[in-house]
């Protein structure tokens, strides 16, 4: 639904987004991702199988990261020094250590922050928070988050998994 719903909706409004790619799960074709990337969207490692990295050994974590990174690179899906997007936002000291070997920025999940200072950068580049739109939340609440971030001169990262019309819990409307 990122390609069929979110992409045209945002494109019509001059907006771009990011895709968290699981290389072992075929949700979009490479051609669709390349089209989105050409339109300004960024593609990010989200592991091969959407594994909870806190449940894996260091070798298992590296395998999940390397296979997905290899998939992205071999298909021209390159967002430069990209951010890793942690499945489930799950992290601990071991995950932090392994992921830091590969990526300068890591997206996790956090509280209901209303924005991240755009400059001088991220305070904790391996703990960049994002706000879920996958839980029951009204559009007015999301708009409030955005307006608050804008008023502070901040950016905000919103994420959702399944973008659809008249969404139920677990989807993004």
């Amino acid at each position: 639904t990122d390609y069929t719903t979110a992409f045209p909706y945002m494109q019509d409004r001059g907006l771009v987004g990011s895709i968290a790619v699981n290389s072992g799960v075929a949700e979009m074709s490479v051609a669709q991702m390349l089209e989105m990337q050409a339109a300004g969207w960024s593609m990010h490692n989200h592991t091969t199988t959407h594994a909870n990295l806190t449940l894996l050994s260091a070798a298992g974590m590296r395998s999940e990261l390397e296979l997905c990174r290899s998939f992205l690179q071999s298909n021209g899906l390159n967002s430069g020094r990209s951010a890793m997007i942690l499945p489930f936002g799950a992290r601990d000291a071991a995950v932090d250590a392994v992921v830091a070997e590969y990526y300068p920025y890591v997206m996790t999940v956090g509280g209901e922050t209303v924005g991240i200072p755009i400059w001088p950068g991220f305070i904790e580049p391996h703990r960049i928070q994002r706000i879920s739109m996958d839980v029951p939340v009204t559009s007015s609440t999301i708009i409030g988050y955005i307006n608050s971030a804008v008023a502070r001169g901040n950016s905000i990262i919103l994420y959702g998994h399944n973008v659809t019309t008249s969404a139920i819990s677990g989807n993004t409307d």
Side-chain angles (χ1 to χ4, degrees):
T1 60
D2 290 331
Y3 180 78
T4 59
T5 306
F7 180 51
Y9 178 88
M10 292 173 69
Q11 187 105 343
D12 287 349
R13 290 155 180 81
L15 302 171
V16 297
S18 297
I19 300 294
V21 177
N22 297 117
S23 61
V25 182
E27 294 179 0
M28 275 191 291
S29 71
V30 170
Q32 290 170 328
M33 288 186 275
L34 286 168
E35 180 184 348
M36 294 171 82
Q37 181 175 268
W41 285 57
S42 58
M43 305 293 149
H44 302 280
N45 190 328
H46 198 44
T47 71
T48 300
T49 65
H50 202 263
N52 181 334
L53 297 179
T54 64
L55 303 177
L56 301 178
S57 66
M61 286 185 249
R62 286 184 183 95
S63 177
E64 285 282 337
L65 296 174
E66 289 173 6
L67 287 170
C68 188
R69 183 175 67 174
S70 180
F71 169 83
L72 291 168
Q73 290 173 342
S74 68
N75 286 291
L77 298 165
N78 184 357
S79 296
R81 289 192 74 207
S82 183
M84 166 70 193
I85 300 176
L86 295 171
F88 312 104
R91 51 168 292 278
D92 59 20
V95 170
D96 290 350
V98 171
V99 174
E101 296 172 17
Y102 296 87
Y103 293 98
Y105 305 105
V106 180
M107 305 278 181
T108 185
V109 291
E112 296 177 354
T113 58
V114 292
I116 302 163
I118 294 173
W119 189 257
F122 298 111
I123 296 168
E124 295 185 78
H126 283 97
R127 294 185 184 132
I128 302 169
Q129 294 185 351
R130 53 200 168 123
I131 297 173
S132 174
M133 296 184 299
D134 285 348
V135 296
V137 61
T138 65
S139 58
S140 61
T141 299
I142 294 170
I143 291 167
Y145 291 151
I146 294 168
N147 289 340
S148 182
V150 169
R152 294 177 180 196
N154 291 348
S155 64
I156 190 167
I157 301 168
L158 303 169
Y159 80 94
H161 285 87
N162 186 24
V163 181
T164 185
T165 302
S166 301
I168 58 172
S169 178
N171 295 311
T172 302
D173 189 354

